[in-house]
């Protein structure tokens, strides 16, 4: 491994003793990692990113890989190089007299240290002036010691092989073999001594596993922090939508959605026509029939009543959901992760475009469901045939009004009309369900309404959670990572 | 400088958009530019920048023909920036060097390099991270640069990440590949072509690359020639600052979403649709027709109290006592209780929607600031008080109608009432009276064939009904007219106040964006104003 232009391929060719990898002037030279392998081992090598070269001269049990650089403009090189660092059993780290104090290679060395992979080091293009060469070598050794690298050697302490500028073998397009004798010796030793070879591999794997919990700890901490941030953001959204829903329920209970004119219209209708006849008894019923002869028939206002109530309810819901979105978005803007989620989803500043229409459809369905439930309950009671003449539509609307009126006190001039509506509704519903059942029925209807609203608001809030992506679902991943790292280590190392 | 004026104006406009970060960056740049221009003198600052070990110091020494900067094998060598200036300019450039934070100054006596201060910078790529911090701090203050690299490092990502951010200064940046002595001539060409290709990818259209060897002196003379030639350029510093500023202006334009062709944040059609919807929503809640009906009813009530028959007056009194009047003939009470008649959401929702849509089209990091500036949080409050204001403003028109006719009719009705009662009393006397009266008989006068009491009775009744009809028609007509007038007033007031409340802040932002767009467009192509292009743009 090494920087771009440090001479990895030249070293590789020198080790191979032949021209295998193309060393060259232009950076980055090695675009695909070359793996030199004994034909017998070829089948065992299952890495697709490598260009595999079979060579009978390579001893079985040894795979020599020329890694791409990790510091050139080619990002794919960097990615593969870092993966190879994780996979290798032995790393020969190549640098030059120009490069040895570069920042980027030292970040790679820091990872090698953390991973504890056995290493050999080469410093290339050393000046022929012995004094200068020694000064550089001493400085490099100092940095290696400071980086806590010097004990990572393949056998004992890390050996740094100094290669002089110009020590090249043009025939193999590589470094002169005599310049890298210590490297060749080490490889020969590994080739001849399968126990030593296994030992190095064992060490590489062992220290990788041993360092796993510590490496994972850093990731786990980040994951923890992200989960915490995510949980905080979700809580903000939760709070804002809960507050919006509570405000909406308060408005419903305050009777805001019952306009006096609409109720008056409704009362005019209910006090006349078949409803009045149904509600009256004895002489009153005759009087009602008589009145009906003279009064012009009031057109049934059920759709109007519903539309008026729903239009206000929906407008208020849209307004409050918009408040919740706006508040949440504002708060998220101050958080790094929140701002990121908002950046990709600018719609979060407002409501989902179809929120209003969906809610309206839901409310229509709510009233329809009430009507069919009335039919089911009513048919079990005597006198249903007569009640049915009023029409399910009217009865459903009446229950709807009961939900709104029962819960709320109306203000000012509307009190009288509201109370009157409540009384008439109560009479109407009692006549159908019996006195004892009305309250329960209305309560159930109200709960269903609140369910609708809760669902609608939950769907709105869900957009924020989705925008956060995996951040939103705090699954205690950090703890799981830690546990698994320890488990993996224990499973192999015992 | 034209660009300075444009940038200042843009920064002011950016404040209206809430672009705090853009503003602070702009202020920093402007004060840096003013400081730089304040130093006067004609010398420009040329920095040798590059990674550790590529030979910046060797290059300086080679240019100087003397060991000015420490050259060493231990990496990194140069820790502090070093300046190399002409002896006779030492004093003149003193304050400039102090501003740059350069303490190590070496002088020379070469007249041909009189116009340039050459800096040897520390590296940016070694393990000594404070070197990089020094470079990062210095680079923005430097007029011109030579980026030095070598065959080993010319493709380093870190080098190119710096270069990619400096493309606006391409005119004032030269590139040097050192250590050419290591390469064959054919290799030199290959390498240089490869580097040029990479620089083009970075955004340099015509990069000027010098292949040199500080060790052998190869290529140095042409490099020196370029340095000298550049020192002839009297506008270099100005142009450098102008490039910084136009880049900054572009940053503001991008943040405001006006870097392409200018389009308003909210198109006129969307805006009028939203206002129409909000006004419709407000009218549905305020209900001007309901107000008109109340005005009419109030007129009728007043007419009956003033000019009604006795019976009508009693009924009116009753309607007052039972609260019917309060409910249906109290226009003021009806008007000011508008909030109870429906959700303010009808007004707020359409406006909010169009604003969210508009802001979504701005760059992400601009949105929170703009949302703050359009007072999105206060929108509901603004709209509510806008409607409230419209409603309150219309209250003056609600004074009940009055008419002298009613009082006249009222007088007549009283007389007719008295006549009617008199006639009734007469008949009662005739029916029950004679026995108790001291007179035995009583002659009933006749008017033609009809007895007078009957004339009085029927006549007063008919006349009263006719008068009542006239009163109703008149008061109804008057009330209806007044009601219609009030309704129209309310409607107009709501339309006006909502338009202002909804888009007042948006208009301010729109104006700011327009100013930024105009400034940016006017400078495109010629950031400095009337200046010729530099001689350094020529390609080798």
């Amino acid at each position: 491994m090494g920087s771009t232009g440090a001479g990895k391929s030249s070293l590789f060719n020198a080790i191979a003793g032949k021209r295998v990898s193309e060393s060259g002037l232009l950076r980055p030279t090695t675009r695909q990692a070359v793996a030199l392998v004994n034909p017998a081992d070829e089948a065992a090598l299952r890495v697709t990113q490598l260009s595999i070269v079979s060579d009978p001269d390579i001893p079985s049990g040894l795979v020599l890989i020329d890694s791409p650089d990790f510091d050139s403009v080619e990002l794919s090189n960097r990615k593969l190089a870092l993966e190879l660092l994780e996979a290798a059993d032995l790393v020969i780290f190549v640098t030059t007299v120009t490069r040895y104090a570069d920042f980027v290679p030292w970040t790679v060395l820091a990872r090698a240290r953390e991973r504890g992979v056995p290493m050999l080091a080469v410093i290339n293009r050393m000046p022929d002036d012995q004094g200068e060469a020694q000064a550089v070598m001493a400085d490099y050794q100092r940095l290696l010691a400071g980086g806590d690298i010097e004990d990572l050697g393949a056998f004992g302490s890390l050996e740094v092989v100094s290669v002089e500028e110009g020590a090249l073998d043009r025939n193999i397009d590589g470094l002169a073999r005599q310049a890298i004798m210590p490297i060749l010796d080490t490889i020969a030793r590994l080739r001849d001594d399968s126990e030593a070879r296994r030992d190095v591999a064992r060490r590489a794997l062992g220290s990788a596993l041993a360092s796993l919990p510590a490496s994972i700890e850093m990731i786990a901490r980040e994951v923890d922090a992200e989960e915490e941030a995510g949980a905080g953001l979700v809580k903000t959204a939760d709070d804002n939508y809960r507050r919006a829903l509570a405000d909406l329920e308060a408005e419903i209970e305050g009777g805001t959605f019952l306009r006096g004119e609409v109720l008056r219209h409704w009362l005019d209708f209910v006090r006349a026509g078949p409803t009045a006849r149904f509600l009256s008894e004895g002489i009153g019923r005759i009087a009602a029939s008589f009145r009906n002869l003279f009064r012009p028939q009031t057109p049934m206002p059920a759709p109007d009543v519903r539309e008026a109530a729903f239009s206000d309810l929906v407008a208020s819901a849209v307004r409050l959901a918009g408040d919740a979105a706006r508040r949440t978005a504002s708060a998220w803007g101050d958080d790094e992760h929140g701002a990121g989620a908002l950046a990709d989803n600018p719609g979060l500043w407002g409501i989902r475009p179809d929120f209003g229409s969906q809610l309206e459809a839901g409310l229509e369905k709510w009233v329809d469901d009430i009507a069919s439930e009335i039919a089911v309950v009513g048919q079990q009671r005597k006198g249903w045939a007569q009640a049915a003449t009023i029409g399910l539509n009217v009865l459903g609307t009446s229950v709807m009004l009961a939900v709104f009126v029962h819960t709320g006190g109306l203000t000012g001039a509307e009190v009288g009309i509201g109370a009157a509506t409540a009384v008439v509704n109560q009479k109407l519903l009692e006549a159908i369900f019996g006195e004892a059942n009305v309250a329960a029925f209305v309560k159930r209807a109200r709960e269903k309404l609140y369910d609708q609203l809760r669902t609608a608001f939950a769907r709105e809030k869900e957009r924020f959670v989705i925008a956060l992506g995996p951040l939103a679902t705090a699954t205690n991943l950090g703890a799981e990572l830690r546990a698994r790292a320890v488990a993996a280590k224990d499973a192999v190392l015992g | 400088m034209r660009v300075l004026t444009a940038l200042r104006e843009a920064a002011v406009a950016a404040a209206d958009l809430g672009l705090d970060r853009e503003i602070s960056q702009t202020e920093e740049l402007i004060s840096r530019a003013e400081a730089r221009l304040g130093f006067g003198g004609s010398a420009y600052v040329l920095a040798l920048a590059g990674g550790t070990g590529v030979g910046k110091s060797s290059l300086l020494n080679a240019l100087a023909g003397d060991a000015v900067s420490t050259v060493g094998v231990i990496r990194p060598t140069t820790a502090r920036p070093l300046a190399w200036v002409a002896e006779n300019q030492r004093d003149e450039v003193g304050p400039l060097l102090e501003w740059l934070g350069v303490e190590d100054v070496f002088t020379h006596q070469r007249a041909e390099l009189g116009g340039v201060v050459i800096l040897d910078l520390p590296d940016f790529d070694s393990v000594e991270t404070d070197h990089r911090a020094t470079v990062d701090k210095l680079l923005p203050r430097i007029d011109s640069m030579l980026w030095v690299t070598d065959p080993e490092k010319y493709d380093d990502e870190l080098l190119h990440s710096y270069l990619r951010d400096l493309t606006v200064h391409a005119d004032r940046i030269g590139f040097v590949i050192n250590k050419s002595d290591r390469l064959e001539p054919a290799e030199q060409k290959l390498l240089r072509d490869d580097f040029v290709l990479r620089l083009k990818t970075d955004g340099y259209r015509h990069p000027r690359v010098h292949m040199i060897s500080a060790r052998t002196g190869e290529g140095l003379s042409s490099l020196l020639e370029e340095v000298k030639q550049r020192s002839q350029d009297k506008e270099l510093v100005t142009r450098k600052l102008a490039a910084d500023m136009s880049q900054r202006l572009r940053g503001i334009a991008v943040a405001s979403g006006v870097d392409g062709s200018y389009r308003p944040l909210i198109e006129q059609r969307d805006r009028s649709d939203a206002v129409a919807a909000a006004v419709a929503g407000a009218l549905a809640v305020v209900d001007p027709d309901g107000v008109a009906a109340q005005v009419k009813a109030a007129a009728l009530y007043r007419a009956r109290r003033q000019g009604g028959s006795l019976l009508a007056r009693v009924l009116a009194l009753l309607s007052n006592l039972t609260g019917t009047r309060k409910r249906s003939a109290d226009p003021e009470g009806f008007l000011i209780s508008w909030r109870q008649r429906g959700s303010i959401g009808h007004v707020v929702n359409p406006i909010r929607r169009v604003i969210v849509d508009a802001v979504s089209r701005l760059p992400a990091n601009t949105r929170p600031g703009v949302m703050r500036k359009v007072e999105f949080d206060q929108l509901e409050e603004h709209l509510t008080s806008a409607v409230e204001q419209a409603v309150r403003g219309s209250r003056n028109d609600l004074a009940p109608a009055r008419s002298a006719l009613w009082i006249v009719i009222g007088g007549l009705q009283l007389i007719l009432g008295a006549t009617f009662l008199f006639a009734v009393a007469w008949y009662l006397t005739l029916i029950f009276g004679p026995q108790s009266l001291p007179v035995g008989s009583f002659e009933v006068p006749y008017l033609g064939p009809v007895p007078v009491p009957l004339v009085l009775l029927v006549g007063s009744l008919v006349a009263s009904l006719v008068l009542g009809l006239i009163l109703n028609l008149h008061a109804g007509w008057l009330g209806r007219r007044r009601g219609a007038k009030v309704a129209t007033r309310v409607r107009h007031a709501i339309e006006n106040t909502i338009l202002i409340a909804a888009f007042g802040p948006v208009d301010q932002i729109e104006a700011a964006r327009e100013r930024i767009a105009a400034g940016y467009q006017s400078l495109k192509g010629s950031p400095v104003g009337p200046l010729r292009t530099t001689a350094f743009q020529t390609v080798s």
Side-chain angles (χ1 to χ4, degrees):
Chain A
M1 302 196 65
S3 295
T4 171
K8 292 180 298 297
S9 296
S10 302
L11 176 67
F12 187 74
N13 289 344
I15 295 170
K18 59 182 78 171
R19 188 184 199 125
V20 186
S21 194
E22 195 176 327
S23 88
L25 180 67
L26 304 185
R27 316 268 84 81
T29 320
T30 311
R31 287 177 199 276
Q32 198 175 13
V34 177
L36 210 54
V37 59
N38 185 291
D41 294 339
E42 201 178 331
L45 211 58
R46 283 169 305 186
V47 187
T48 49
Q49 287 146 305
L50 301 178
S51 143
I52 294 169
V53 178
S54 276
D55 184 348
D57 294 345
I58 292 291
S60 174
L62 178 71
V63 180
L64 204 57
I65 297 175
D66 184 11
S67 152
D69 71 79
F70 41 69
D71 50 7
S72 79
V73 175
E74 298 295 333
L75 282 176
S76 57
N77 278 5
R78 179 189 191 97
K79 193 165 170 282
L80 180 55
L82 295 180
E83 279 173 21
L84 286 170
L85 170 66
E86 300 300 325
D89 295 325
L90 175 70
V91 168
I92 306 177
F93 194 83
V94 189
T95 187
T96 69
V97 70
T98 313
R99 289 261 192 212
Y100 75 87
D102 275 14
F103 181 75
V104 176
W106 274 96
T107 60
V108 176
L109 281 174
R111 175 58 201 153
R113 157 78 271 174
E114 194 180 280
R115 217 220 98 164
V117 63
M119 284 178 48
L120 295 170
V122 174
I123 180 160
N124 205 353
R125 303 212 182 94
M126 284 291 254
D128 44 11
D129 180 314
Q130 281 308 304
E132 284 185 359
Q134 273 165 19
V136 170
M137 182 59 95
D139 198 41
Y140 192 35
Q141 298 275 18
R142 179 184 65 83
L143 287 174
L144 290 168
D148 207 10
I149 307 278
E150 82 280 29
D151 64 340
L152 282 185
F155 306 108
S157 68
L158 178 63
E159 188 170 9
V160 182
V161 179
S162 166
V163 180
E164 234 173 69
E165 164 93 70
L168 298 173
D169 182 344
R170 300 276 173 203
N171 295 327
I172 57 168
D173 188 18
L175 301 176
R177 279 174 70 87
Q178 66 272 22
I180 55 159
M181 280 322 282
I183 304 275
L184 298 178
D185 286 348
T186 305
I187 291 173
R189 188 169 155 194
L190 291 172
R191 179 192 61 205
D192 299 338
D193 182 349
S194 66
E195 195 43 52
R197 199 162 67 222
R198 265 191 222 106
D199 191 50
V200 166
R202 212 175 286 126
R203 232 179 86 203
L205 180 63
S207 49
L209 284 168
S211 73
L212 197 57
S215 316
I216 289 292
E217 179 58 29
M218 285 191 294
I219 299 171
R221 264 188 212 152
E222 269 176 46
V223 168
D224 283 350
E226 284 191 2
E227 283 193 352
E228 197 181 326
L233 293 171
V234 170
K235 186 178 178 311
T236 306
D238 273 341
D239 289 350
N240 282 319
Y241 278 95
R242 195 175 308 126
R243 175 175 160 193
L245 190 64
D247 286 353
L248 185 62
E249 288 176 3
E251 281 195 31
I252 292 172
E253 277 158 35
T256 317
F257 304 118
L258 296 172
R259 298 194 198 189
E261 33 166 341
V262 179
L263 288 185
R264 209 164 298 124
H265 199 169
W266 172 250
L267 273 182
D268 285 348
F269 167 72
V270 171
R271 280 174 177 159
T275 325
R277 218 174 36 239
F278 171 73
L279 285 177
S280 322
E281 278 162 17
I283 194 83
R285 178 168 293 187
I286 296 166
S289 305
F290 187 71
R291 268 203 309 274
N292 288 343
L293 284 178
F294 293 97
R295 258 201 214 166
Q297 185 62 51
T298 316
M300 189 185 68
D304 290 348
V305 172
R306 276 151 71 158
E307 203 183 298
F310 288 170
S311 128
D312 274 338
L313 179 56
V314 169
S316 265
V318 167
R319 191 189 109 234
L320 289 168
D323 277 343
R326 169 177 68 74
R327 288 202 187 99
T328 308
S330 278
W332 279 27
D334 297 336
D335 176 278
E336 180 201 342
H337 300 292
L342 269 181
D344 300 334
N345 302 279
L348 291 179
W349 282 95
I351 53 162
R352 201 192 287 261
D354 63 355
F355 173 73
S357 55
Q358 285 219 353
L359 183 58
E360 203 158 348
L363 291 173
E364 290 291 345
K365 188 176 173 300
W366 172 62
V367 175
D368 290 346
D369 287 353
I370 289 176
S372 22
E373 206 179 329
I374 291 173
V376 173
V377 176
Q379 268 156 14
Q380 297 156 7
R381 299 185 61 86
K382 62 180 189 211
W384 171 247
Q386 199 192 359
T389 58
I390 301 172
L392 282 174
N393 213 347
V394 174
L395 293 172
T397 305
S398 183
V399 172
M400 181 203 91
L401 284 175
V403 167
F404 290 145
V405 176
H406 265 247
T407 47
L410 290 158
T411 43
E414 315 293 1
V415 170
I417 197 82
T421 311
V423 168
V424 171
N425 266 334
Q426 184 72 15
K427 272 166 73 180
L428 186 61
L429 297 177
E430 273 175 13
I432 297 166
F433 300 117
E435 209 175 324
N437 301 329
V438 173
F441 193 85
V442 170
K443 185 163 168 252
R444 210 157 55 237
R446 178 158 60 245
E447 257 144 35
K448 280 187 183 156
L449 170 67
Y450 283 9
D451 277 348
Q452 288 267 2
L453 299 175
R454 257 193 296 278
T455 312
F457 275 57
R459 271 193 62 207
E460 281 296 293
K461 192 196 77 186
E462 201 57 26
R463 296 178 308 153
F464 282 92
V465 177
I466 291 168
L468 270 188
L471 219 58
T473 44
T475 52
N476 234 350
L477 189 61
E480 193 184 332
L481 276 174
R482 288 185 185 98
R484 290 209 181 181
V486 172
K489 181 188 136 201
D490 291 349
V492 181
L493 303 183
Chain B
M1 263 192 293
R2 227 173 68 201
V3 63
L4 180 59
T5 320
L7 187 60
R8 282 216 173 96
E9 282 168 7
V12 171
D16 281 349
L17 278 163
L19 304 177
D20 299 345
R21 218 173 48 197
E22 300 294 324
I23 295 168
S24 68
Q25 281 179 16
T26 305
E27 280 167 355
E28 196 187 312
L29 171 62
I30 290 179
S31 62
R32 195 163 69 224
E34 285 173 344
R36 179 66 188 91
L37 289 170
F39 290 114
S42 57
Y44 77 94
V45 179
L46 170 71
L48 305 179
T52 179
V54 297
K56 295 183 294 297
S57 300
S58 307
L59 173 59
L60 179 57
N61 291 345
L63 287 174
D66 192 6
V68 174
S69 192
T70 318
V71 172
V73 285
I74 306 298
R75 305 264 69 87
T77 314
T78 308
R80 281 146 55 107
L82 176 152
W84 190 59
V85 299
E87 176 93 64
N88 56 359
Q89 282 190 316
R90 173 69 185 82
D91 294 339
E92 184 193 321
V93 300
L96 174 60
L97 290 173
E98 200 177 311
W99 179 65
L100 290 167
V102 177
E103 290 166 12
D104 304 338
V105 184
F106 292 82
T107 54
H108 63 80
Q109 285 164 349
R110 289 164 59 176
E112 79 272 20
L113 286 174
V116 51
V117 175
I118 299 184
L119 293 190
D120 183 14
L121 296 186
D123 68 273
F124 55 80
D125 62 355
S126 77
V127 284
E128 297 293 340
T129 43
D130 7 330
H131 291 190
R132 182 172 182 177
T134 307
V135 171
D136 289 351
K137 214 173 121 228
L138 256 171
L139 276 184
R141 300 189 168 195
I142 283 168
D143 306 321
S144 171
M145 300 161 200
L146 278 177
W147 282 86
V148 186
T149 185
D150 73 359
E152 222 180 297
K153 288 194 161 181
Y154 78 91
D155 203 41
D156 279 15
E157 167 58 24
L158 200 51
L159 167 68
H160 290 276
S161 73
Y162 272 93
L163 296 180
R164 282 191 283 264
D165 286 343
L166 290 167
T167 51
V168 287
H169 299 304
D171 287 0
R172 289 163 296 282
I173 291 180
F175 301 96
V176 175
I177 299 179
N178 193 10
K179 305 181 188 170
S180 67
D181 53 303
R182 286 190 186 170
L183 307 172
E184 306 289 327
E187 289 179 328
Q188 289 188 13
K189 184 176 177 337
L190 270 176
L191 188 83
R192 178 214 195 91
D193 289 350
D194 197 41
F195 189 41
V196 166
L197 202 66
R198 184 62 80 192
L199 290 171
K200 285 188 172 170
T201 317
D202 289 343
Y204 292 85
R205 272 192 294 180
H206 306 296
R208 190 169 168 85
V209 177
H210 296 268
M211 188 63 90
I212 65 139
S213 165
R215 200 163 73 174
T216 66
E218 185 185 358
L220 274 182
S221 57
S222 83
L223 177 62
L224 200 60
E225 198 49 45
E226 176 169 328
V227 172
K228 278 190 262 180
Q229 200 186 349
R230 203 175 291 196
S231 67
Q232 306 298 310
D233 180 2
K234 297 299 170 211
E235 303 288 348
L236 187 137
V237 174
T238 327
R239 241 199 335 273
K240 187 269 172 180
L241 295 172
D244 275 337
M245 289 187 223
S246 62
Q247 188 187 26
R248 193 79 284 287
L249 186 57
R250 189 183 143 73
I252 296 178
V254 168
S256 322
V258 297
D259 52 320
S261 59
Y262 170 75
R263 275 185 60 207
L265 214 48
I266 303 175
E267 297 288 353
Q268 193 53 46
R269 221 191 55 201
D270 297 338
R271 170 193 273 252
S272 36
D273 285 354
V275 169
V279 166
L283 291 178
V285 178
V286 173
D287 189 8
D289 292 334
V291 178
Q294 297 256 347
V295 168
K296 184 187 161 195
L300 280 170
Y301 171 77
R302 192 185 177 88
R304 277 174 201 150
R305 288 294 297 264
Q306 289 187 345
S309 63
L310 285 178
L311 182 67
R313 286 179 200 221
V314 170
L315 287 176
L317 203 65
L318 273 176
S319 85
N320 198 15
L321 290 176
T322 54
T324 312
R325 185 191 70 83
K326 193 101 191 110
R327 207 185 65 220
S328 58
D330 176 20
E332 184 170 345
F334 183 81
L335 197 54
I336 61 176
S337 64
W338 65 276
R339 289 221 57 183
Q340 289 165 15
R341 287 198 292 281
S343 169
I344 190 72
H346 292 296
V347 187
V348 183
N349 298 340
I351 307 288
R352 262 195 194 158
R353 182 172 200 160
V354 75
I355 290 181
V356 168
D357 277 359
V359 175
S360 306
R361 288 192 290 272
L362 287 175
N365 49 5
T366 309
R367 286 179 213 138
V370 170
M371 279 300 192
R372 218 168 39 242
K373 285 290 172 181
V374 295
E375 301 179 6
F376 194 60
D377 286 351
Q378 294 88 33
L379 189 63
E380 178 174 336
E381 207 178 295
H382 290 336
L383 287 169
T384 309
S385 60
V387 177
E388 190 67 42
Q389 188 195 332
V391 160
R392 303 245 163 214
S394 315
R395 269 184 356 173
N396 299 333
D397 302 323
L398 296 177
R402 52 185 74 232
S403 167
L405 180 67
W406 302 348
I407 295 167
V408 174
I409 291 178
L412 293 174
Q413 286 280 25
L414 282 182
I415 296 167
L416 288 171
T419 313
F420 179 75
L421 289 178
F422 174 73
V424 169
W426 197 338
Y427 268 113
L428 288 177
T429 318
L430 285 178
I431 295 163
F432 305 107
Q435 298 88 336
S436 59
L437 280 176
V439 280
S441 70
F442 190 86
E443 197 70 21
V444 174
Y446 271 71
L447 196 70
V450 196
V452 170
L454 189 65
V455 171
L456 290 179
L457 192 75
V458 174
S460 67
L461 209 59
V462 169
S464 176
L465 279 174
V466 170
L467 280 179
L469 201 66
I470 292 171
L471 184 78
N472 261 5
L473 283 174
H474 182 256
W477 169 75
L478 213 60
R480 208 161 36 244
R481 221 177 50 166
R482 223 164 223 269
K485 210 171 86 186
V486 169
T488 313
R489 287 263 177 99
V490 170
R491 251 182 222 113
H492 285 162
I494 285 178
E495 276 164 16
N496 291 334
T497 54
I498 282 186
L499 186 64
I500 294 164
F503 293 122
V506 172
D507 286 339
Q508 213 167 349
I509 282 175
E510 204 63 90
R513 287 179 78 239
E514 229 167 310
R515 287 206 301 281
I516 292 169
Y520 177 61
Q521 293 296 337
S522 76
L523 282 167
K524 253 186 172 173
S526 133
V528 201
L531 269 176
R532 275 189 213 97
T533 47
T534 157
F536 278 91
Q537 252 178 331
T538 47
V539 202
S540 61

